[in-house]
Amino acid sequence: MGADEEPDVAGRRFDVADAAPVLLDAQGLVTGWTRGAERLLGYAAPEVVGKQLADLLTGADAERAPEVLEHCRVDGGWAGLLTARCKGGPVTRLMVRVTAAEESRGPSRWLALLSEVSGLGWDMSRTVLEQMVTGSPIGIAIVDTDLRFVWSNEALARYGGLPAEQRLGLRLAEAQPGLDAAAIEEQMRRVLATGEPVTGYEHVGSVRAAPLRETAHMMSFTRLEDEHGRPMGVYYTVVDISERRRAQQRLALLDRAGEQIGRSLDLMRTAQELADVAVPALADFVAVDLLEDVLHGGEPASAPAPGQETVTLRRAAHRSVSSPNAPEAVVEIGHVASYRPGSAPVRCLATGRSWREERLDPADRPWAAEAPGSREATFGELALHSGMVVPLRARGVTLGITTFYRRYRPDSFDTADLSLAEDFVSRAAVCLDNARRYTRERDAALALQRSLLPHRLPELDAVDVAACYRPADELTGLGGDWYDLIPLSGARVALVVGEVPGHGIDAAAAMGRLRTAVRTLAALDLRPEEVLAHLDDLVAPHPVREEGGDAGIEAGDSAQSVGSGCVYVVYDPVDGRCAMAAAGHPAPAVVLPDGAVYFVDLPQGPPLGAGGPPFESVEMMLPEGSTLVLHTDGLLTDGRRGAGRADRARLRQALRAAAPSLDVRCQALVDALVPTRPHDDVALLMARTKRLSGRQVAGWELPRDPAAVADARRTACRQLADWGLDELAFTTELVVSELVTNAIRYAGGPIRLRLIRERTLVCEVFDGGATAPHLRHPRTTDEGGRGLLLVSQLTQRWGTRFVPNGKIIWAEQPLAGAEA
């Protein structure tokens, strides 16, 4: 290989620290051999001294040795690349610099400096290396084994601390006060001890060049060794990664905002999530204020004009880095936050644009006007020195404002902080708007639910009742289960519990239709199995032929109700008789006065609309003080999704527990058997039976003789006098006269008159007829037909119910303030 020359190299500086010197005489004989040359080529001094330089070279480079010596004589030196043969055979590429041996004595005339190329170009001279390290934008320094500076470049001073010439001999803590020098020096000692370099070490803190701003630096450490491998010190580099770190923090904050804000559809909780995310990552104190209409799910009012009077919002959330109590807050959560005209929050609400102030005036107050629950304080008293206000805007509508303050962090908010705040506040605003819309829809759905379920169960002399409802859909609170208590004629009462398949507003609407239908059928005084049969007819899908088409379609209103379950119970407090029927629904449980529990052996009819055998009812006598337990099947599930029906033993055991009241017992039963978030809707209705005393019921058998009408009137009046209801005597005489007269005239079989004093006065007449009377509207010239019309006008309500062997015509009168 030929030698590569570099002209005009005699004047270049050459670093002898990394080169092996060799002495040559004028003819190129080796006259001096050093340890460095021995390590480089493997030859000992006796093996080389006295030999020609060409003997150490290979190929063409050996032939060029005389030419190299000639260059040295003519130019005073030479520099270039040569290929040398190492001891044992391998070759190595050398960077060779030949200069005149200064003050040469004896045969030596030339000094040859040999250094291994190792893949680098020969031009990596000390001059080039000095230019690289001194002019590098990366901070570079060398410390000795005592961790004192022995060299540093100018770039290091830009990262804070003293200039390069003043660092010499100082430790890091002395050269750069305020820096966490202990952690950095720990890395240096580790490198000195192990020899393993440390790369990518991040140090976060403040430096002298930027004492009010947190900075981040990436550092790498490498041990320096002498020719014997002993540590000489540590060489380290510093790169400022503050902007990159802030960018990463911004992205992390946005990611966290996306994960943690909007996890629920509750407005207050979503606002609190916004405040929690921003503290302490961006601010020391954050407050979220929403317009009053927004908190109630309504559309926010139009934005205030910049000069309008005090703007009122409500504090939805706040968060402080100092404590959960937020000492910086002048308004408590849930209280009114009023802002003065022209203040930054009002301007942000009016314009929809954000506001930022690097340095707040310590004498100013936080813009809040005097309002109940607020306290006066200045920014200085609260130690707040920098602030931002960002409006909460979503879909072109302003919902409120978010206020950011810094108290403990010394640096002020900058434009990057404002941009970051606007970014994740806009995301939070969308979540808040979703929560607002959900609140509006949920309130509407709950209003529907409240309109469909009983507001308050009526107080009756027949039963004491308690009910509990727990929907599976915790978001809307809507479900398809329902319960009802329906007063019937003759002091009787109907107890109903049912369920519609599915959850949500569709199931609630279907439930409302079924409940309305049940109440309508109950007003007809039908038997339980007849009520379910009529209900089944209403629910069953009926093909409807579209005009101009051949295909049948299913009625949409009944589709949701198909497969519904229902249990219908009628209880008579006069004799304790109870009749019930079920359609695809669990049979009720009965708790006897002595605490014994049993389940009614009730024939199970098919679900409503499913088709199947006719419904059957059972009758039983219940002792006074017995408790009927009607429930949907959600009460008997064990709470695990996909699990089957739990054994009735759980319910039986729970029913045996004592409770101070029926309401407490009802709630305790649901809490014991149903998880907080059930997988199926649960409705429970408990009714403790009562009996009417003998003084509340009076009955008489009447002969089929028109003269019995007068006796019936007198007997009724005497009973009213005994009850202290003389003021109802006139109306009662007329009702008894008309009903008994109709029974004698139009019906056959025995006739019975019964008076019941409950919360109303009930007059009943039984006869053996099978046809119901009809209310007529007679003309002026008609001689009769006015009896039932008078009854309907003088009583609260009246009607007919069919019983075995006949019917009962009844009429009710309010007690009109008379003591019952």
Side-chain angles (χ1 to χ4, degrees), residues 10 14 143 164 176 350 393 475 508 610 673 705 714:
F14 194 86
V143 296
Q176 202 157 336
R393 289 181 57 81
L475 292 179
L673 299 179
D705 183 352
R714 288 190 294 270

Side-chain angles (χ1 to χ4, degrees), residues 26-110:
Q27 286 73 37
L29 291 174
V30 176
T31 60
W33 191 254
T34 63
R35 291 181 179 271
E38 182 178 348
R39 287 196 302 270
L40 184 62
L41 297 180
Y43 300 104
E47 298 176 288
V48 178
V49 174
K51 291 186 177 180
Q52 287 284 341
L53 176 63
D55 296 337
L56 301 175
L57 303 178
T58 63
D61 287 353
E63 298 175 359
R64 294 286 303 275
E67 183 181 348
V68 170
L69 293 174
E70 183 62 25
H71 275 288
C72 291
R73 286 191 292 269
V74 174
D75 301 328
W78 178 88
L81 298 177
L82 295 174
T83 302
R85 181 180 291 106
C86 298
K87 185 177 181 180
V91 297
T92 184
R93 192 81 160 154
L94 299 177
M95 172 69 184
V96 180
R97 298 243 177 163
V98 182
T99 60
E102 297 178 1
E103 301 179 2
S104 176
R105 297 177 182 177
S108 301
R109 182 176 179 181
W110 304 107

Side-chain angles (χ1 to χ4, degrees), residues 482 499-501 510-511 513-515 517-518 521 531-542 554-566 583 606-611 615:
W482 93 93
E499 57 184 323
V500 172
M511 173 269 288
R513 290 191 294 268
L514 277 182
R515 178 171 177 262
V518 169
L521 293 170
V531 170
L532 295 184
H534 285 289
L535 200 61
D536 183 69
D537 289 339
L538 293 173
V539 170
H542 300 287
E554 185 174 294
D557 286 346
S558 64
Q560 180 74 33
S561 303
V562 173
S564 300
C566 181
L608 297 176
F615 299 100

Side-chain angles (χ1 to χ4, degrees), residues 357-662:
E357 184 64 43
E358 291 187 8
R359 289 293 166 185
L360 297 170
D361 187 344
D364 282 351
R365 289 190 299 162
W367 313 300
E370 294 183 5
S374 65
R375 61 188 178 95
E376 295 187 11
T378 64
F379 288 125
E381 292 170 346
L382 298 174
L384 303 175
H385 66 84
S386 186
M388 299 186 299
V389 181
V390 180
L392 284 155
R393 289 181 57 81
R395 303 178 178 96
V397 176
T398 301
L399 308 176
I401 57 171
T402 305
T403 311
F404 302 82
Y405 294 106
R406 281 187 176 166
R407 181 182 186 186
Y408 300 104
R409 293 173 59 167
D411 53 321
S412 301
F413 290 116
D414 56 20
T415 55
D417 294 325
L418 180 60
S419 176
L420 174 61
E422 289 175 335
D423 200 345
F424 79 79
V425 166
S426 65
R427 300 187 185 190
V430 173
C431 296
L432 284 168
D433 193 49
N434 290 338
R436 176 188 68 83
R437 290 167 177 251
Y438 163 75
T439 299
R440 181 181 61 194
E441 298 300 328
R442 183 176 185 269
D443 289 346
L446 290 178
L448 171 64
Q449 180 86 339
R450 287 191 293 268
S451 69
L452 297 177
L453 288 176
H455 293 278
R456 188 171 66 89
L457 294 173
E459 295 182 4
L460 302 174
D461 287 348
V463 289
D464 291 328
V465 292
C468 188
Y469 178 77
R470 183 170 293 179
D473 190 343
E474 65 171 345
L475 292 179
T476 64
L478 298 176
D481 292 12
W482 93 93
Y483 57 88
D484 209 345
L485 178 67
I486 307 171
L488 301 177
S489 63
R492 297 170 307 128
V493 62
L495 307 167
V496 190
V497 167
E499 57 184 323
V500 172
H503 311 291
I505 194 167
D506 290 338
M511 173 269 288
R513 290 191 294 268
L514 277 182
R515 178 171 177 262
T516 302
V518 169
R519 295 188 71 89
T520 302
L521 293 170
L524 299 178
D525 265 328
L526 301 175
R527 292 178 57 79
E529 70 274 15
E530 294 174 345
V531 170
L532 295 184
H534 285 289
L535 200 61
D536 183 69
D537 289 339
L538 293 173
V539 170
H542 300 287
V544 179
R545 187 175 300 277
E546 293 183 305
E547 185 177 353
D550 297 328
I553 61 173
E554 185 174 294
D557 286 346
S558 64
Q560 180 74 33
S561 303
V562 173
S564 300
C566 181
V567 61
Y568 187 87
V569 179
V570 175
Y571 173 70
D572 190 341
V574 175
D575 56 6
R577 189 179 303 275
C578 181
M580 64 183 70
H585 200 85
V590 177
V591 183
L592 295 175
D594 62 0
V597 179
Y598 72 92
F599 293 89
V600 179
D601 187 10
L602 181 62
Q604 274 296 316
L608 297 176
F615 299 100
E616 299 181 42
S617 65
V618 296
E619 288 190 1
M620 65 191 74
M621 300 298 294
L622 291 179
E624 185 176 8
S626 300
T627 301
L628 279 164
V629 182
L630 285 69
H631 61 88
T632 55
D633 58 5
L635 189 70
L636 292 182
T637 57
D638 62 3
R640 293 179 298 162
R641 188 176 296 276
R645 302 289 180 85
D647 189 81
R648 284 178 170 179
R650 295 175 58 239
L651 177 57
R652 187 190 303 272
Q653 184 65 30
L655 287 172
R656 288 173 177 165
S661 68
L662 195 62

Side-chain angles (χ1 to χ4, degrees), residues 125-269:
S125 63
R126 176 173 178 174
T127 302
V128 175
L129 292 174
E130 286 181 348
Q131 291 177 359
M132 289 175 59
V133 297
T134 57
S136 172
I138 298 174
I140 304 174
I142 299 175
V143 296
D144 59 18
T145 54
D146 293 329
L147 306 185
R148 297 185 178 276
F149 285 99
V150 296
W151 180 86
S152 63
N153 66 351
E154 293 298 329
L156 189 66
R158 293 197 294 268
Y159 299 114
L162 298 174
E165 62 275 8
Q166 298 180 24
R167 285 178 180 263
L168 295 177
L170 300 179
R171 295 277 292 272
L172 184 59
E174 299 168 335
Q176 202 157 336
L179 191 69
D180 184 12
I184 298 175
E185 290 186 346
E186 178 64 27
Q187 300 297 320
M188 294 180 182
R189 292 190 182 94
R190 174 184 170 188
V191 171
L192 283 173
T194 64
E196 297 179 359
V198 173
T199 59
Y201 173 74
E202 289 191 20
H203 179 269
V204 180
S206 59
V207 297
R208 173 181 276 183
L212 298 181
R213 176 171 289 277
E214 184 181 75
T215 57
H217 297 98
M218 180 80 75
M219 308 180 73
S220 297
F221 305 89
T222 305
R223 188 172 77 175
L224 297 177
E225 301 175 351
D226 61 14
E227 59 184 6
H228 301 291
R230 294 188 295 263
M232 298 172 53
V234 175
Y235 161 85
Y236 74 89
T237 61
V238 184
V239 179
D240 191 342
I241 59 169
S242 299
E243 288 304 319
R244 186 177 74 182
R245 177 179 172 81
R246 279 193 282 272
Q248 292 173 342
Q249 290 175 333
R250 294 186 184 104
L251 290 175
L253 180 60
L254 292 177
D255 289 342
R256 192 161 63 252
E259 294 175 356
Q260 299 183 11
I261 299 177
R263 292 179 293 181
S264 72
L265 290 173
D266 180 84
L267 274 164
M268 300 291 283
R269 181 175 174 183

